């Protein structure tokens, strides 16, 4: 009797919210059987067999599930209850609550599952707000706005009963041909890290766990092919790929990380202990949970072939540091249990992962005695706040790339031909992880939210005629005649071309939709050529997931506007910018190449990666990273090193300032970009790289002073000995409008001994905007 009383007291202790989550988790773990521990290390994906995969090899990797058997010992995670098929928000929330009751009732501790969903471009659920995709976040250069968006996404997820979101993607774009470029924030690690960390802070402020993807190297696959091997040295990994993840861990306190599918130098990330444990936890201090990318544990056996059996794959992943297998427990349930019982895997590794999972559940309140899965109120996933944020983000993300002879904004008395395959297509606004494009199309479901097209949005503002012209991918040119006639009869022609988002070959952009080159898909370039031939000024609106090269067309068109899948309010934002209701302020997070056939490269090139006399191929982009025009003009003045310093200690900071004035006649925002130029270093370095930025909104005639507090730490790079260092020597801090247009180059000399950087270094540059 006394023993029973003690057990009950112990049970009450692990439910006590006044105790630390780690202590509660440890108390609970002591009482669990091996089977119960392992059950906390897996997800469960119900009804995942619908036609049209949304994860690699989903059809081959999933099968029928016995629900009662799967939950009898508990369940770590429930996979995508809203993001697997269209379900009305209230219905979905009630169904999830019922499932959680069943999960809790089935195990002897009453522990519910942690529920995760995708949230890259908004909560991936039917009737949820569809926000712009991550390159549009990057184009805003506005971390505060991205943080607000993420907080709104998190609030809707939390209201629906979701605990974890599988975003943000912190992969730095390395090859524009990769289909998942549309999921990346940009090609610069500082921009990716700053914007991505803001997203983490916003999402987690609502109690929803953010998940960093894909750790690490995924975006650097050979030839831009999805899941292809990565050929990368430790210096590129350390200086380009890893910094955004470190920033989100150390400055954002992210609670989850998802391993990459990729291999680096023959070692798959899912089995890389040096990456997932030594670096992530040992050096960076990560304390959350590492989850598998879908089927990534099994892929160690079936794709990478570094394990002969599923049990071996489970052992490799668990030892490396993968705590939870997603989306289901193919490897961590039966096979891993067998490995542990046979003595080939120590149970302490299971305990290590289970303790992390249970600690996280305690942090979320899932171990509290008064836990309830019932929604706290109405479940509305697309409200006025979300729509307003989607519109503001789209407005700030649209980039005016070219504007010849003032063709834009469109004069109110000019007739406009709106043509192109994407001019009247609501799906043109959506990326592959927006629910309608990701899941809805597989079921023939209604879109579920209002998405004005470019044609619809312009029709309410200008005299518009319309012709489709062609399809995105179909080579049929029979519609060219109508499009040419419409253009010839108008004062200006706006042609909307670009991508159709999809998955695994079902689109031109998206996961598994890689490109062989950077030509516009199908016959869209031919359509633009035919429109130009009419003599009517042509404005090209690019609605894409990646940058495309227009080649010779760039010299023939009157204007170019770039929008990276701008979300459900993208059509409205484009119409506002095209007509001049608001001034464009987006900046390119990805360079726009000139030649579609050249090997893609980003702006982060050392000298011999740029134009030179030793090669006939010129890799200079048509429009560089950071480029963007406005309808007003800005004057920059008084650029200086504050205090007039000429020397900069390797362990100190300097302040750089510049005065920016709006000299035009309309309100607009300038983006001040700060780049580092290293004149000579012990290893080759990029000609310039971004180390700070500020978005500066100004009314006509007003001015503001932008001051950057630049720590010497941000000049660090991986030296010859493989360690991160600050090296003394000559540098320039360039205050710039883009990566290739500097307004002022301020020389400084870093002084002192070469300094090795550690985990206490500063990762970002503080910025202050004063005025007007």
């Amino acid at each position: 009797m006394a023993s029973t009383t003690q057990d009950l007291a112990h049970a009450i202790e692990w439910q006590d919210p006044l105790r630390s989550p780690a202590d509660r988790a440890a108390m609970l773990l002591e009482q669990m059987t091996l089977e119960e521990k392992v059950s906390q290390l897996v997800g469960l994906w119900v009804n995942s067999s619908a036609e049209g995969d949304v994860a690699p090899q989903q059809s081959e990797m999933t099968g029928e599930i016995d629900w009662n058997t799967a939950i009898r010992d508990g369940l770590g995670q429930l996979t995508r209850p809203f993001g697997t098929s269209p379900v009305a928000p209230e219905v979905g929330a009630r169904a999830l609550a019922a499932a959680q009751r069943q999960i809790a009732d089935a195990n002897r501790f009453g522990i519910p599952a942690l529920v995760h969903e995708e949230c890259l471009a908004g909560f991936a659920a039917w009737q949820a707000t569809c926000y712009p995709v991550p390159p549009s976040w990057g184009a805003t250069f506005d971390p505060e706005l991205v943080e607000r968006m993420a907080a709104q996404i998190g609030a809707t997820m939390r209201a629906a009963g979701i605990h974890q979101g599988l975003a943000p993607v912190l992969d730095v774009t390395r090859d524009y041909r990769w289909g998942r470029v549309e999921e990346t924030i940009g090609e610069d690690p500082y921009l990716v890290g700053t914007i991505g960390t803001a997203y983490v802070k916003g999402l987690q402020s609502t109690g929803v766990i953010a998940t960093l993807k894909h750790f690490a190297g995924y975006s650097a696959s050979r030839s831009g092919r999805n899941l292809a091997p990565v050929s990368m040295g430790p210096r590129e990994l350390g200086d380009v790929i890893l910094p955004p993840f470190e920033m989100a861990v150390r400055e954002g306190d992210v609670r989850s990380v998802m391993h990459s599918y990729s291999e680096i130098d023959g070692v798959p990330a899912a089995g890389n202990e040096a990456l997932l444990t030594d670096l992530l936890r040992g050096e960076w201090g990560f304390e959350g949970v590492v989850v598998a990318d879908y089927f990534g544990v099994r892929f160690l056996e079936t794709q990478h072939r570094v394990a002969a059996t599923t049990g071996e794959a489970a052992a490799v992943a668990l030892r490396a540091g993968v705590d939870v297998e997603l989306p289901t427990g193919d490897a961590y349930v039966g096979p891993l249990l067998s490995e542990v019982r046979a003595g080939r895997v120590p149970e302490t590794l299971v305990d290590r992962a289970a303790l992390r999972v249970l600690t996280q559940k305690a942090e979320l309140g899932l171990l509290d005695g008064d836990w309830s899965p019932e929604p706290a109120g109405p479940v509305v996933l697309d409200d006025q706040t979300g729509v307003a944020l989607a519109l503001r983000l789209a407005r700030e993300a649209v980039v005016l790339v070219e504007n010849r002879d003032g063709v834009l904004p469109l004069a109110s008395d000019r007739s406009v031909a709106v043509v192109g395959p994407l001019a009247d297509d609501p799906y043109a606004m959506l990326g592959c992880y927006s629910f309608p494009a990701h899941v809805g199309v597989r079921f023939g479901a209604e879109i579920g939210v209002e998405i004005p097209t470019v044609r619809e949005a312009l029709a309410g503002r200008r005299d518009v005629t319309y012709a489709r012209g062609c399809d995105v991918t179909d080579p049929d040119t029979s519609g060219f005649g109508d499009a040419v006639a419409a253009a010839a009869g108008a004062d200006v022609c706006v042609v909307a071309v670009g991508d159709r988002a999809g998955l695994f070959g079902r689109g031109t952009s998206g996961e598994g939709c890689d490109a062989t080159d950077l030509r516009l898909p199908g016959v869209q370039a031919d359509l633009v050529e035919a429109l130009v031939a009419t003599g009517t000024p042509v404005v090209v609106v690019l609605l894409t997931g990646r940058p495309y090269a227009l080649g010779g067309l760039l010299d023939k068109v009157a204007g170019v506007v770039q929008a990276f899948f701008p979300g459900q309010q993208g059509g409205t934002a484009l119409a506002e910018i095209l007509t001049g209701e608001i001034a464009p302020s987006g900046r390119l997070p990805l360079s726009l190449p000139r030649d579609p056939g050249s090997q893609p490269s980003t702006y982060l090139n050392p000298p011999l990666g740029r134009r030179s006399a030793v090669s006939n191929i010129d890799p200079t982009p048509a429009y560089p990273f950071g480029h963007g025009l406005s309808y007003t003009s800005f004057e920059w003045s008084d650029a200086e090193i504050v205090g007039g310093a000429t020397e900069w200690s390797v362990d100190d900071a300097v302040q750089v300032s510049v005065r920016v004035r709006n000299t035009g006649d309309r309100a607009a925002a300038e983006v001040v970009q700060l780049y580092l130029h290293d004149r000579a270093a012990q290893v080759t370095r990029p000609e310039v790289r971004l180390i700070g930025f500020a978005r500066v909104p100004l009314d006509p005639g007003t001015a503001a002073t932008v001051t950057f507090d630049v720590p010497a730490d941000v000049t660090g790079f991986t030296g010859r000995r493989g360690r991160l260092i600050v090296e003394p020597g000559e540098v320039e801090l360039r205050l710039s409008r883009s990566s290739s247009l500097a307004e002022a180059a301020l020389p400084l000399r870093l002084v002192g001994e070469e300094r090795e950087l550690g985990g206490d270094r500063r990762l970002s540059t503080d910025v202050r905007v004063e005025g007007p």
Side-chain angles (χ1 to χ4, degrees):
M1 186 68 172
S3 176
T4 303
T5 302
Q6 290 175 353
D7 290 343
L8 288 172
H10 205 42
I12 293 172
E13 285 180 335
W14 66 257
Q15 289 183 323
D16 182 2
L18 297 179
R19 293 182 176 272
S20 74
D23 286 347
R24 296 170 65 190
M27 290 176 181
L28 178 56
L29 188 67
E30 289 178 358
Q31 302 176 52
M32 286 181 150
T33 65
L34 176 61
E35 289 79 6
E36 288 168 335
K37 296 174 191 175
V38 169
S39 292
Q40 293 298 317
L41 309 187
V42 299
L44 183 63
W45 198 2
V46 181
N47 298 324
S48 61
S49 57
E51 183 177 351
D53 291 359
V54 297
Q57 298 202 327
Q58 177 182 333
S59 302
E60 292 82 0
M61 290 289 182
T62 56
E64 296 300 318
I65 292 172
D66 184 324
W67 171 258
N68 291 328
T69 300
I71 67 172
R72 66 187 176 193
D73 290 317
L75 180 63
Q77 294 209 16
L78 194 58
T79 295
R80 302 193 63 183
F82 284 86
T84 299
S85 61
V87 57
E90 288 282 356
V91 174
R94 288 196 299 270
L96 175 56
Q100 285 281 54
R101 286 290 187 196
Q102 293 174 23
I103 293 167
D105 290 345
N107 68 86
R108 64 192 180 103
F109 299 105
I111 307 171
L114 185 154
V115 186
H116 76 259
E117 282 286 359
E118 297 285 356
C119 58
L120 186 70
F123 181 12
W126 192 48
Q127 298 182 345
T129 306
C130 298
Y131 294 91
V133 297
S136 281
W137 312 352
T140 69
F141 279 73
D142 192 342
E144 291 79 13
L145 180 58
V146 171
E147 184 172 344
R148 287 180 57 194
M149 175 197 70
Q152 177 66 14
I153 293 171
T156 59
M157 296 175 75
R158 190 70 172 173
I162 308 302
H163 309 105
Q164 180 169 356
L166 303 187
V169 170
L170 297 189
D171 298 307
V172 178
T173 298
R174 302 300 284 162
D175 191 325
Y176 308 131
R177 296 172 298 181
W178 189 43
R180 302 191 80 169
V181 166
E182 67 166 73
E183 300 178 45
T184 71
I185 294 168
E187 66 184 58
D188 178 86
Y190 189 84
L191 179 68
V192 173
T194 305
I195 297 290
T197 299
Y199 183 98
V200 168
K201 291 177 178 178
L203 195 73
Q204 293 192 163
S205 71
T206 67
V208 174
I209 295 167
T211 309
L212 307 184
K213 303 192 310 190
H214 304 87
F215 192 62
Y218 190 26
S219 58
S221 57
R222 293 178 192 163
S223 302
R225 293 180 60 247
N226 198 36
L227 272 69
V230 173
S231 302
M232 181 194 304
R235 187 162 288 104
E236 182 180 357
L237 178 68
D239 293 348
V240 178
I241 300 298
L242 294 179
F245 292 95
E246 183 179 6
M247 187 180 291
V249 169
R250 291 182 47 209
E251 295 188 355
D253 192 27
V254 74
R255 307 308 297 154
S256 186
V257 171
M258 175 180 280
H259 76 70
S260 163
Y261 285 128
S262 60
E263 62 170 82
I264 301 175
D265 194 25
V267 181
N272 192 334
E273 187 173 2
L275 184 71
L276 300 181
T277 297
D278 298 345
L279 177 67
L280 180 63
R281 296 186 185 277
E283 294 188 29
W284 294 354
F286 175 70
E287 295 181 343
V289 172
V290 173
V291 300
D293 205 344
Y294 284 15
F295 311 113
V297 176
R298 284 287 309 279
F299 283 178
L300 293 173
E301 172 198 3
T302 63
Q303 303 300 312
H304 295 294
R305 299 183 187 174
V306 296
T309 66
T310 304
E312 285 185 18
V316 169
L318 186 67
R319 185 173 289 108
V322 179
D323 300 313
V324 177
E325 182 186 11
L326 297 180
T328 60
D330 294 335
Y332 272 17
V333 179
L336 178 60
L337 280 170
S338 297
E339 293 294 304
V340 175
R341 291 189 183 115
R344 290 186 290 269
V345 174
E347 189 171 347
T348 52
L349 290 179
V350 174
D351 292 346
R352 181 182 72 173
L355 182 63
R356 293 167 181 165
V357 170
L358 293 172
T359 299
Q360 194 160 84
K361 287 191 173 186
E363 292 169 347
L364 292 167
L366 298 179
L367 301 187
D368 293 355
D370 61 353
W371 166 84
S372 171
E374 304 302 327
V379 182
V380 179
L381 306 183
D382 184 39
D383 60 14
Q384 291 183 349
T385 301
V387 173
L389 279 170
L391 177 57
R392 182 177 169 188
L393 199 78
R395 285 169 171 166
E396 293 191 9
V398 172
V399 183
L400 178 59
V401 177
E402 188 60 78
N403 188 19
R404 294 191 174 95
D405 301 321
V407 66
L408 295 176
L410 300 170
S412 59
D413 60 348
R414 306 190 82 183
S415 61
V416 182
V418 179
V419 302
L422 301 181
D424 201 31
D425 183 357
Y427 285 93
M429 306 297 162
L430 305 179
C432 75
Y433 270 81
S434 296
F435 183 88
H438 190 71
V439 175
V441 292
R442 298 161 59 219
F443 293 87
E446 295 180 359
I447 288 181
V449 293
E450 292 293 325
I451 306 181
T453 66
V454 173
R455 176 193 181 185
E456 291 168 344
L458 274 176
R461 293 169 166 86
R462 295 293 184 269
D463 177 19
V464 166
T465 57
Y466 167 72
R468 187 166 185 265
C470 67
D471 183 63
V472 171
T473 55
D474 194 315
D476 181 17
T477 60
S478 61
F480 277 24
D482 290 342
V484 166
D491 294 321
V492 180
C493 176
V494 173
V495 55
V497 293
D499 279 317
R500 177 183 294 117
L503 294 164
F504 305 108
R506 301 193 297 272
T508 61
S509 173
E511 186 173 359
C513 297
D514 309 317
T516 56
D517 58 40
L518 298 174
R519 294 175 175 86
L520 280 170
V523 294
Q524 294 180 97
D526 297 330
L527 173 64
V528 177
E529 191 78 61
L531 297 172
V532 167
T534 66
T536 299
V538 174
V539 175
V540 178
V541 174
L542 294 163
L543 288 159
T544 69
R546 65 165 62 84
Y548 281 104
L550 297 183
L553 285 173
L554 289 174
D555 299 323
K556 302 175 183 179
V557 298
V560 178
V561 175
Q562 173 69 60
F564 294 103
F565 292 140
Q568 70 184 61
Q569 288 296 304
T572 300
L574 281 163
E576 291 175 337
I577 287 171
L578 290 169
T579 59
E581 292 178 28
I582 63 171
S585 60
R587 300 293 185 267
L588 290 175
L590 301 158
S591 305
L592 296 187
R594 179 173 294 277
D595 182 358
S598 64
Q599 291 299 305
S601 60
T602 74
Y603 92 99
L604 292 172
N605 267 324
L608 286 177
R610 303 165 75 87
R611 181 179 181 179
S612 72
V614 298
S615 173
N616 63 314
I617 296 176
D618 182 1
T620 305
Y623 301 97
F625 173 86
H627 169 79
L629 304 177
S630 179
Y631 292 152
T632 191
S633 56
F634 295 98
E635 177 185 82
W636 294 31
S637 63
D638 304 324
E640 64 174 356
I641 304 293
V642 178
T646 58
E647 293 188 341
W648 181 8
S649 174
V650 295
D651 60 0
D652 202 354
V654 296
Q655 290 193 335
V656 183
S657 68
V658 65
R659 186 79 169 163
V660 179
R661 180 176 297 277
N662 183 344
T663 54
D665 58 3
R666 58 188 305 152
E670 177 69 297
V671 177
V672 178
Q673 301 162 47
L674 180 65
Y675 293 86
L676 174 73
H677 169 69
D678 198 337
R679 296 183 62 185
Q682 60 185 257
V683 297
T684 60
R685 302 293 299 136
E687 182 70 11
V688 293
R689 64 181 177 92
L690 187 71
I691 59 170
F693 60 86
R695 183 183 178 88
V696 187
L698 291 170
D699 289 329
T702 62
T705 298
V706 180
T707 303
F708 296 97
D709 186 66
V710 190
D713 295 3
V714 301
T715 72
F717 60 90
T718 303
R720 289 189 179 183
R721 296 189 302 276
R723 304 299 297 174
L724 192 63
I725 61 168
V726 174
E727 183 183 39
E730 305 288 339
V731 298
E732 287 180 355
L733 296 180
R734 297 181 178 178
L735 291 156
S736 305
R737 297 180 191 259
S738 75
S739 58
S740 66
L741 182 57
E743 285 292 322
L746 306 174
L748 283 164
R749 181 175 181 81
L750 280 160
V751 296
E753 297 296 321
E754 179 179 296
R755 174 169 158 254
E756 186 170 313
L757 296 174
D760 60 345
R761 72 185 183 282
R762 285 178 59 183
L763 300 174
S764 55
T765 297
D766 294 334
V767 60
R768 184 173 69 254
V769 179
E770 296 173 301

